Amino acid sequence: MQTTGLAKTIMLQGTASDVGKSLLTAALCRIFTEDGWRTAPFKSQNMSLNSYVTWDGKEIGRAQGMQADACGILATTDMNPILLKPTGEMRSQVIVHGKPLRDYEARAYREEVLPLAEPIVREALERLRLQSDAVVLEGAGSPVEINLKDRDIVNMRMASWADAPVLLVADIDRGGVFASIVGTMELLEPEERERVAGFVINKFRGDVSLLRPGLEWLEARTGKPVLGVVPYLPGLELEDEDSLSLDRSSHQAVQPTSEDTLDIAVIRLARLSNFTDLDPLQGESDLRLRYVDSPGKLGHPDAVILPGSKNTTADLAILRENGMAAALERYAAVGGRVVGICGGYEMMGRLLLDPDRTESDIPELPGLGWFPFDVIFSADKRTIRVSGQGQLPGMHHEESIDGYEIHTGIINMPAGVLQPFAIREQQLDGESEMPLSPEGASQPDGRLWGTFIHGIMHNDEFRRAWLNQLRLDRGWPPAQTGNRFNERRQDAFARLAGHVRAHVDLQAIYAIMGLTAHTGIRNVE
């Protein structure tokens, strides 16, 4: 194990977005950790609506939180010092070290923030390297976006600052893999091409021997080795980064295995965020999870989920314009079950108020009216991890829950509204004890309920108790908890690492980094 100096580095860059950089970064993080190296992930700037709250209540990209979990370590903002969360066309909220700076138009961000970003990201990386043996860096998009290169902080300039050899990742599943690799190499500057240590071809399907002539041509053409051809790995169930992957995963849910199959509809909001809240439902064998973007597709499901939104007011306005809000009101009026999470919960109130235009240009909008609270948006964002108990009407007993909150909306809950959760903010020092406080809202029959708690469905016993209420509505017997989500997640990390071990040249990667491959594999919790 390395004991002095800065950690060794390696960086994964892609020929395009969504080629699998995040999962391959997670795989290397897990492999190096299994091999006994203190490993950490790093992405200087991430753009994603799917965020992760760190142990100290800060917000980073979901992928870096997942990669830290693969390493078996706590995530910190040093792993993703700059996060961009789109709020509209060409506009994003800029989050620096886990706290919102403000919203910027794309041009203003490029001209005002990027020139100041270099010391922020370099200092964050240096802190990680002082604490680690290996740091696996992830790039963003393509390193040859010519119009963006002069102020790049996330691809080749970051690799130079980190002294990181680069693995260029290409997705063969989308076609044109050789053109994408050669084209990328041609557009790199000579010193950038020199930094590329080799290629990884991802998401391969078929007989690799048929690909061999192309690989040999590619190596001869570029002078760089192909260090791995990684076959497509289905059913991995690890967090996806953005809605591009959501489009795929919504068609890849676990197929129900019994006739008594629940139908759960998720409203596909325009600015849907933290859709990983619903990942555990994808793994349940007695339900079908589908995403709905128009009233005609709603039908009469067993339950509807209103998920999180980066712009609650604007998304609710769209639901009113396209008729979905009216369809939901009709559905609820005849006894349908609706769950709201964060932004979806805010929509369930009486009125959305945004006097300072914090989220949108709409100062006031009626909510769905299912609860008698108003929501006021402010510039301050609440990001905190929570734990406690939850019990909806009809549940036999309280279930343990934990999760996190990310929201700017403030709710003043009127007296008499049933609040089904009792939560405690998680303390960092392990000494002080915060009192339990009520959270969420539920109608007396439990058919309509909402919560600010992201990750509520990650709590296995609570999730199953709620699903069994849906089964009871159908006259079906309760089912046992069949999806231990966190256990499945650890199995997925191990499966991913094993898969990549089998299909990339790890000895070459270790040599490129200047590390020694250990022979023993240790357990990672």
Side-chain angles (χ1 to χ4, degrees), residues 120-151:
I120 295 172
V121 299
R122 294 186 70 165
E123 290 166 11
L125 176 62
E126 184 173 12
R127 284 189 292 270
L128 282 182
R129 294 184 70 186
L130 286 169
Q131 301 162 6
S132 310
D133 301 314
V135 176
V136 186
L137 292 82
E138 179 184 343
S142 162
V144 290
E145 302 291 350
I146 304 303
N147 56 314
L148 302 177
K149 283 187 67 173
D150 63 323
R151 291 184 178 169

Side-chain angles (χ1 to χ4, degrees), residues 54 136 249 297 332 357 364 398 448:
T54 63
V136 186
S249 65
K297 298 177 182 178
R357 311 298 200 272
E364 182 176 318
E398 290 184 334
L448 304 178

Side-chain angles (χ1 to χ4, degrees), residues 93-141:
Q93 182 184 56
V94 178
I95 297 170
V96 178
H97 275 298
K99 291 297 183 182
L101 185 59
R102 69 174 179 86
D103 286 9
Y104 282 88
E105 300 289 345
R107 182 179 295 277
Y109 173 73
R110 178 171 170 77
E111 293 177 352
E112 298 174 26
V113 180
L114 280 183
L116 307 176
E118 178 179 345
I120 295 172
V121 299
R122 294 186 70 165
E123 290 166 11
L125 176 62
E126 184 173 12
R127 284 189 292 270
L128 282 182
R129 294 184 70 186
L130 286 169
Q131 301 162 6
S132 310
D133 301 314
V135 176
V136 186
L137 292 82
E138 179 184 343

Side-chain angles (χ1 to χ4, degrees), residues 97-221:
H97 275 298
K99 291 297 183 182
L101 185 59
R102 69 174 179 86
D103 286 9
Y104 282 88
E105 300 289 345
R107 182 179 295 277
Y109 173 73
R110 178 171 170 77
E111 293 177 352
E112 298 174 26
V113 180
L114 280 183
L116 307 176
E118 178 179 345
I120 295 172
V121 299
R122 294 186 70 165
E123 290 166 11
L125 176 62
E126 184 173 12
R127 284 189 292 270
L128 282 182
R129 294 184 70 186
L130 286 169
Q131 301 162 6
S132 310
D133 301 314
V135 176
V136 186
L137 292 82
E138 179 184 343
S142 162
V144 290
E145 302 291 350
I146 304 303
N147 56 314
L148 302 177
K149 283 187 67 173
D150 63 323
R151 291 184 178 169
D152 167 45
I153 64 166
V154 70
N155 284 311
M156 279 299 179
R157 286 179 75 196
M158 190 71 244
S160 176
W161 297 335
D163 192 25
V166 171
L167 303 181
L168 186 63
V169 180
D171 176 2
I172 196 171
D173 198 40
R174 64 177 63 190
V177 69
F178 298 116
S180 67
I181 293 173
V182 172
T184 299
M185 293 294 289
E186 286 294 324
L187 292 174
L188 291 173
E189 299 298 326
E191 65 273 14
E192 295 171 336
R193 283 196 293 271
E194 184 66 24
R195 190 167 289 281
V196 176
F199 311 123
V200 176
I201 295 176
N202 197 25
K203 306 180 192 178
F204 179 72
R205 305 171 193 254
D207 183 351
V208 72
S209 67
L210 299 178
L211 189 64
R212 185 63 56 194
L215 302 181
E216 293 171 353
W217 173 89
L218 180 63
E219 292 182 333
R221 175 68 173 75

Side-chain angles (χ1 to χ4, degrees), residues 53 384-387 401-405 426 453-456 459:
V53 172
I384 192 73
R385 284 193 169 271
V386 299
S387 61
I401 58 168
D402 71 334
Y404 58 95
E405 297 182 25
Q426 293 181 1
I453 303 173
H454 289 289
I456 187 68
N459 296 279

